[in-house]
Amino acid sequence: MIATTAAPPSERGAAFAAVLQRQGAAVVLVLGVAAAWFAFPRFGSADNLRDLALQSSFLAVIALGMTFVIISGGIDLSVGSVYALGGVLAAYGSRYGLVVAILLPLVVCGLIGLINGLLIARTKMAPFIVTLASLLFARGLLLALTNEGATTYKVEPGSALLWLGQGKIFGIGVPVYLALVLFGLGGLLLRRTRFGQSVFALGGAEQSALLMGLPVARTKITLYALSGTLAGFAGVLTAAYLQSGVTVLGVGTELDAISVVVIGGTLLTGGAGTVIGTLVGVLLKTLIQNVINQVGTLDSNYQTVVSGAFLLVVVVIQRLLARSRRS
């Protein structure tokens, strides 16, 4: 008989902390859904669940790009304004056909992300400062295009663009399918490609990544271009759904994207994270909002209060778990 040696308590504790960090949000989501299903009869209805999925899809697309950026050890504060700009450009471009309505916001928003990446990678400027400047630039460009918000571009009835936001397949909104496809591709890119390995290495230790010969600058540039493009695409979907380019959208969206990424288990310090965790974080945030709406007696501002408090708790727990794994 071969004797087996049990793992030391410290190793078991570190392993448990790692699992809790990765799967904790999923456990909370399952418990939250079960509690809401039991407490509110309407919560489990097919219409409400479809609405939850649709509401989650727009933020999910933005958060996907943010996941890559944060895993690399960076941050992108421009996505909220870029998201709103993408919606306005999509509505404006819809008068010239579907191709222009999609490509115009993707090119412009992707270019903003590309400039972010170039400045961060080539000049070594802090991502916080660069993307904050881009936030102001994108919002200013948005206001210039809409005459300080006085002009609202409409997507005409019958436009092919509307199907992207209002179309349904088997009763579920098209944006939900598009978000799931993007998350599937994002997961493959992050876990199965050299680019994904470079993203993790960059977030873990940038100097080590440089010594290993990884394309650090090119990876950063690609990351921020990807983040801008995805934010712009989320704007396209929102414009198609709302049938117009709404200028007041996107205020605070960058904070929502960061919060769901962190809630999903991605470390703000970089080097660890998953796209599935981010999707769980998005669903958890939407669940909290829906439960508050189901209660009915609570002001909608409590959504922000609860989300902020929940994010603070998650960050503190992450710090404690990381400390326990090192000890």
Side-chain angles (χ1 to χ4, degrees), residues 66 70 75-77 253-263 268 311:
M66 186 69 77
I70 293 181
I75 201 77
D76 189 353
L77 299 180
T253 300
E254 62 279 351
L255 302 181
D256 289 336
I258 293 170
S259 67
V260 297
V261 171
V262 175
I263 287 170
L268 272 174
L311 175 60

Side-chain angles (χ1 to χ4, degrees), residues 14-319:
F16 177 75
V19 171
L20 187 59
Q21 179 181 304
R22 292 193 301 267
Q23 309 298 338
V27 173
V28 174
L29 176 63
V30 171
L31 293 176
V33 168
W37 205 303
F38 177 78
F40 306 104
R42 186 181 174 278
F43 177 84
S45 67
D47 287 340
N48 188 57
L49 294 178
R50 282 195 291 263
D51 288 342
L52 284 175
L54 185 61
Q55 293 166 18
S56 300
S57 59
F58 307 110
L59 178 60
V61 174
I62 302 172
L64 176 60
M66 186 69 77
T67 303
F68 279 80
V69 172
I70 293 181
I71 289 175
S72 74
I75 201 77
D76 189 353
L77 299 180
S78 68
V79 292
S81 294
V82 171
Y83 163 58
L85 177 62
V88 169
L89 290 174
Y92 173 79
S94 65
R95 65 185 68 184
Y96 303 107
L98 178 64
V99 174
V100 176
I102 295 176
L103 288 184
L104 179 61
L106 293 187
V107 170
V108 173
C109 297
L111 183 60
I112 292 174
L114 178 65
I115 294 172
N116 284 341
L118 285 170
L119 290 173
I120 293 168
R122 300 301 184 187
T123 68
K124 308 300 181 183
M125 294 176 64
F128 179 89
I129 298 299
V130 173
T131 58
L132 179 60
S134 294
L135 178 155
L136 299 174
F137 171 81
R139 184 63 63 176
L141 180 58
L142 166 66
L143 293 175
L145 290 173
T146 59
N147 298 314
E148 300 293 329
T151 302
T152 300
Y153 296 107
K154 299 286 187 179
V155 180
E156 297 298 326
S159 171
L161 179 66
L162 293 179
W163 184 80
L164 290 178
Q166 300 178 359
K168 293 184 178 181
I169 300 175
F170 302 116
I172 299 175
V174 170
V176 177
Y177 292 100
L178 293 174
L180 290 175
V181 168
L182 288 173
F183 266 78
L185 294 174
L188 290 175
L189 182 63
L190 191 61
R191 292 293 180 180
R192 302 297 183 184
T193 66
R194 293 183 64 184
F195 173 76
Q197 294 172 3
S198 298
V199 172
F200 280 107
L202 183 59
E206 183 173 338
Q207 290 303 317
S208 297
L210 283 169
L211 293 174
M212 292 168 59
L214 296 177
V216 170
R218 188 173 65 197
T219 301
K220 285 185 178 182
I221 293 169
T222 304
L223 284 171
Y224 285 94
L226 177 65
S227 179
T229 302
L230 286 173
F233 185 63
V236 173
L237 296 180
T238 303
Y241 176 69
L242 297 177
Q243 210 166 330
S244 64
V246 181
T247 57
V248 296
L249 282 179
V251 178
T253 300
E254 62 279 351
L255 302 181
D256 289 336
I258 293 170
S259 67
V260 297
V261 171
V262 175
I263 287 170
T266 298
L267 296 180
L268 272 174
T269 52
T274 64
V275 297
I276 294 299
T278 294
L279 185 58
V280 170
V282 173
L283 294 175
L284 191 52
K285 179 177 175 59
T286 307
L287 171 66
I288 293 171
Q289 294 173 343
N290 189 261
V291 167
I292 290 175
N293 291 335
Q294 295 279 350
V295 172
T297 57
L298 294 177
D299 190 277
S300 60
N301 291 324
Y302 279 100
Q303 295 177 4
T304 305
V305 174
V306 173
S307 297
F310 193 78
L311 175 60
L312 180 61
V313 170
V314 168
V315 171
V316 171
I317 291 175
Q318 279 191 354
R319 175 61 64 89

